[in-house]
Amino acid sequence: VEEHEDNSLNARFHILDTTATTAGILSQDDDLMRPCVAMNAGFALWTLDPQRMVGFEYRNYNVTTTMSESNDPESYWTYVVPRFAQNRYALALSKYAFVHRDYLTSYTHDMPASIRQRVQTTLNCEDIALSLWVSALTNGSLPLLADVWSMRTVLELKPPGRQTAISSATQEHAAVRNACLNDFATWLQLKTNLHPPAKAIKRNKYAMFQCGVPGRLGGSSSGETNVSSLLSNGNNDTYPHVRQLLRQRQAWMNMSIDDFYRDLKHHVLDMTQGLHP
């Protein structure tokens, strides 16, 4: 456990131990859990595309046009939580995501100081900053998304009687995040370079599996991956966890939907063993 002297959300991405050789970092909030099978699935996808974030929680933006003082049109981005059916996203939140440690180092040392200062003063928006910073470093590429089934295995640890997370319960919080998203996108010159595709979340009979923009395992616009050919590809010997994910997908695709959910529920129940009611 690392102890940071500065009380800042920026410290979340400041790695103090420079001797560790681990390249992949799982960024996880302390108020949610996912079973190991879901975590392993996200890690398998990340190892194939380590230059991208692989997220389990996605967000999008809306655009409104206003007139500036010089009477020129200006776009203003507002932060939105999209419904799955809207089929679009632009951000992956660091509340549960795999990211290369080099991006965390770059966040601390290379990202514009104005962004870190906003995070410091608002005690908010570090997740928006990281996602947009990685996109800025990858020519506006969107983050990748984990399989839909793994997103849906989340267990949120909320105080009794509270239906929403503490930080997301006020209009003031929403206004802060709107301003962060709009300003960060402007400062990083992403308003002309980050465009969510019209169909980003996969929706077909395999909708519980691959989704998001295409990665090396395919994606929504590249068609369903040929699992059998990937499993027989000797090049995957380096990534046994990737082969494990592919075998799991293949087994689930051959199940009825009821058996699939039953098996997934088993993994979730295993995760909750030992938790206090």
Side-chain angles (χ1 to χ4, degrees):
V1 177
E2 294 187 344
E3 295 185 5
H4 295 258
E5 294 181 358
D6 53 330
N7 182 22
S8 168
L9 287 176
N10 289 313
R12 172 175 184 160
F13 304 134
H14 185 193
I15 301 175
L16 298 181
D17 183 3
T18 59
T19 63
T21 59
T22 301
I25 303 295
L26 173 61
S27 174
Q28 177 181 351
D29 282 5
D30 59 5
D31 61 352
L32 56 83
M33 299 173 61
R34 281 187 170 87
C36 290
V37 65
M39 179 179 65
N40 291 340
F43 180 65
L45 296 175
W46 177 84
T47 57
L48 294 177
D49 289 280
Q51 77 282 7
R52 310 276 286 280
M53 285 184 68
V54 174
F56 290 71
E57 310 280 344
Y58 58 90
R59 298 293 186 267
N60 200 11
Y61 61 84
N62 286 332
V63 180
T64 57
T65 302
T66 59
M67 302 304 293
S68 68
E69 294 181 357
S70 58
N71 206 32
D72 295 321
E74 291 182 338
S75 66
Y76 189 88
W77 287 15
T78 55
Y79 177 89
V80 296
V81 181
R83 297 188 304 273
F84 188 76
Q86 289 177 304
N87 215 24
R88 292 165 64 88
Y89 76 102
L91 308 166
L93 300 188
S94 58
K95 65 190 301 181
Y96 204 99
F98 284 95
V99 61
H100 199 288
R101 67 176 292 139
D102 287 351
Y103 289 133
L104 303 187
T105 301
S106 183
Y107 178 102
T108 301
H109 299 289
D110 304 323
M111 191 175 69
S114 56
I115 298 180
R116 289 194 302 275
Q117 183 60 37
R118 178 71 65 84
V119 172
Q120 175 74 17
T121 56
T122 62
L123 295 177
N124 204 326
C125 303
E126 83 289 352
D127 49 356
I128 297 174
L130 180 64
S131 185
L132 292 181
W133 180 237
V134 174
S135 289
L137 294 176
T138 53
N139 298 317
S141 298
L142 296 182
L144 302 179
L145 296 181
D147 285 356
V148 177
W149 65 265
S150 62
M151 296 183 192
R152 295 182 176 179
T153 59
V154 64
L155 176 64
E156 296 188 54
L157 308 178
K158 300 177 181 178
R162 182 177 292 274
Q163 297 302 313
T164 59
I166 295 175
S167 64
S168 61
T170 67
Q171 291 183 344
E172 180 182 356
H173 170 82
V176 168
R177 291 181 72 78
N178 287 342
C180 285
L181 176 61
N182 182 72
D183 292 343
F184 296 172
T186 300
W187 297 340
L188 295 175
Q189 300 181 353
L190 285 172
K191 286 193 173 181
T192 57
N193 200 25
L194 184 72
H195 298 285
K199 294 183 178 180
I201 312 296
K202 189 163 189 179
R203 300 169 63 197
N204 60 19
K205 68 177 181 178
Y206 297 114
M208 293 303 289
F209 297 94
Q210 293 168 201
C211 69
V213 294
R216 286 187 59 194
L217 274 186
S220 60
S221 61
S222 62
E224 184 64 25
T225 297
N226 187 329
V227 176
S228 298
S229 65
L230 281 172
L231 284 174
S232 62
N233 188 341
N235 292 333
N236 286 313
D237 290 340
T238 310
Y239 303 113
H241 44 288
V242 175
R243 297 173 65 82
Q244 180 181 5
L245 168 63
L246 294 173
R247 290 193 180 97
Q248 183 70 79
R249 280 183 178 177
Q250 190 175 51
W252 277 337
M253 287 179 186
N254 292 328
M255 289 182 182
S256 68
I257 191 65
D258 289 340
D259 288 342
F260 166 70
Y261 278 115
R262 225 180 331 264
D263 191 60
L264 198 56
K265 181 179 180 181
H266 172 74
H267 289 286
V268 175
L269 290 176
D270 282 349
M271 172 186 68
T272 60
Q273 294 299 314
L275 291 179
H276 293 291

